[in-house]
Every structure is written in C-alpha cells, then in structure tokens.
Amino acid sequence: MDSAPASDDVYLRPSVQTAAKLLIVGHFAVGKTTFVGTLSEIRPLCTEEVMTEAGALVDDLAGTRDKTTTTVALDFGRLTLNDRLVLYLFGTPGQQRFTRLWQDMTRGSLGALVLADSRRLSQSFEVMGVLEEHGLPYAVALNEFHDAPAYELDEVREALDLLPETPLVRCDARDRVSATRALISLVEYLLTLPHSRHSSSGGTPIGHLETA
C-alpha cells in the first residue's frame, strides 16, 4: 500500500473550527484501506488481520486471490483541508458479516464515498442500500484495477442505477492526487445539498463546510 507520509504535526491546528466525518465504504477488497492510507496526513489507524481459512468459508473471495489481510473493525485517517476544516475518514469493513458494525459508523457522518470495482459492480448494491436506508448522501468512485474491464462511466452509472445527481468518478486509491479528486467530488456534492440534509445524529450542517 502506498500511504501518505505521516505528518510531524499530530495535533490539530489551533485555527481548526470544524471537523467533518466522512465514510469510505465499499464491498470486500475494493481498496478502502489503501484509500484512507493514501490520503491521511497522520499515520492511519488500521485494524487489519491475516485472513484465515475459516473466513474463506463465509467471504466471497472471487477476484481477490492476492489479498491476505482484511479490515475487521475500521480504518481511520485525518485530512486537513484548510486552516479551519479537517476531515476524519472512516473506512468500513467490507464483508457482509460486519455490516451491522459499520451501520453504527453512519452516526454523525455527513456522507460517504463508495469505492466500486468494475469486475464486481453487483456487490456495491448492498453497500449503497445501507447508505440509502440511513439517508446518507454518497458519491461513487470507480477504483481502477489493472485487470478490470474498462467501461464508460455512463455504462457504470446505468449498471449501478445511480441517480443523475450522484457523482461518479474514476480513481486510483494508491495515487494521492487521484484519491483527493474523488474525495473532492463527494465534498462538492455535499455542499450542493440543503442544510437539512445531514446525518440524523446531529452532524455538522453540510452548508458550513468550506473547501477553500
């Protein structure tokens, strides 16, 4: 995993006034841990464990032959956008048996970035369904793997049955610039939503976010 170098400044800047919580979600082995590690300005907190034969009995390992570890709780990273605003990134585990765990993580979240894999698009439906059930707005980033089929974004949008206003972008979770653009697509989308569209648990109103 190509991670961003850990910042020497572990603590928040005194000028920071707003902290926003965003989820990085997606199905198993879609690149969430890599994405959080790429963007985090601090050493990310990862809860990865070695995959076992017992786990292989309940997890869909199709297309993931090189994967040897998996997130069992969460990934956590921090990204300061400017002197006043900091983003907290929470990566969720992708296996179905952990869905209840990350459902709780939607509390206080402003929105989510859904990572998708063109080889396994159908596996994104359950993830998006949970977000919609909780009323959490989201954008979709197609994480491009070297052996994945190259579809046009319009084809992916149709396959995922996305609303016209739902952002859909390509990204490489290993590349900081590409991952940043994907995250910006989510933040810009959240800024377009009415102030009333935010987490039911009392998250920061979306209209208060500023990216510049």
Side-chain angles (χ1 to χ4, degrees):
M1 180 181 70
D2 296 328
S3 301
S7 170
D8 291 334
D9 185 8
V10 177
Y11 301 101
L12 286 177
R13 302 174 188 173
S15 59
V16 169
Q17 300 176 0
T18 302
K21 177 183 177 183
L22 300 176
L23 299 187
I24 309 300
V25 305
H27 58 70
F28 178 62
V30 76
K32 302 178 294 295
T33 298
T34 299
F35 188 95
V36 172
T38 296
L39 285 183
S40 182
E41 65 195 14
I42 59 174
R43 187 176 302 279
L45 168 66
C46 299
T47 57
E48 286 201 313
E49 296 293 341
V50 176
M51 296 172 61
T52 64
E53 292 183 6
L57 297 176
V58 293
D59 296 329
D60 182 1
L61 304 182
T64 62
R65 61 183 183 275
D66 296 328
K67 187 170 179 60
T68 59
T69 62
T70 185
T71 298
V72 296
L74 58 85
D75 299 313
F76 172 78
R78 190 186 78 195
L79 179 62
T80 301
L81 288 190
N82 56 44
D83 289 339
R84 302 180 303 279
L85 173 62
V86 64
L87 300 181
Y88 291 118
L89 309 178
F90 287 77
T92 64
Q95 298 95 318
Q96 291 183 351
R97 67 182 187 275
F98 292 129
T99 299
R100 180 171 297 181
L101 170 66
W102 74 259
Q103 283 178 331
D104 292 337
M105 293 169 63
T106 63
R107 299 179 183 276
S109 300
L110 295 185
L113 182 67
V114 180
L115 294 187
D117 181 349
S118 63
R119 300 169 299 181
R120 298 177 289 154
L121 287 176
S122 63
Q123 295 185 24
S124 296
F125 285 113
E126 180 178 7
V127 174
M128 295 187 297
V130 173
L131 297 176
E132 291 167 2
E133 179 183 342
H134 286 78
L136 199 64
Y138 61 87
V140 178
L142 190 64
N143 191 18
E144 298 188 305
F145 295 86
H146 73 278
D147 59 345
Y151 297 120
E152 296 294 331
L153 287 183
D154 288 343
E155 295 178 285
V156 176
R157 179 177 293 277
E158 182 177 357
L160 292 178
D161 195 25
L162 299 179
L163 295 174
E165 61 269 24
T166 301
L168 172 63
V169 298
R170 300 183 189 276
C171 84
D172 182 341
R174 302 165 300 177
D175 182 78
R176 186 171 178 81
V177 173
S178 179
T180 298
R181 288 173 179 167
L183 193 64
I184 287 175
S185 73
L186 170 63
V187 174
E188 288 180 341
Y189 175 53
L190 296 179
L191 288 170
T192 69
L193 300 178
H195 289 194
S196 59
R197 286 285 302 277
H198 62 282
S199 171
S200 60
S201 62
T204 302
I206 291 171
H208 289 179
L209 292 180
E210 297 178 7
T211 58

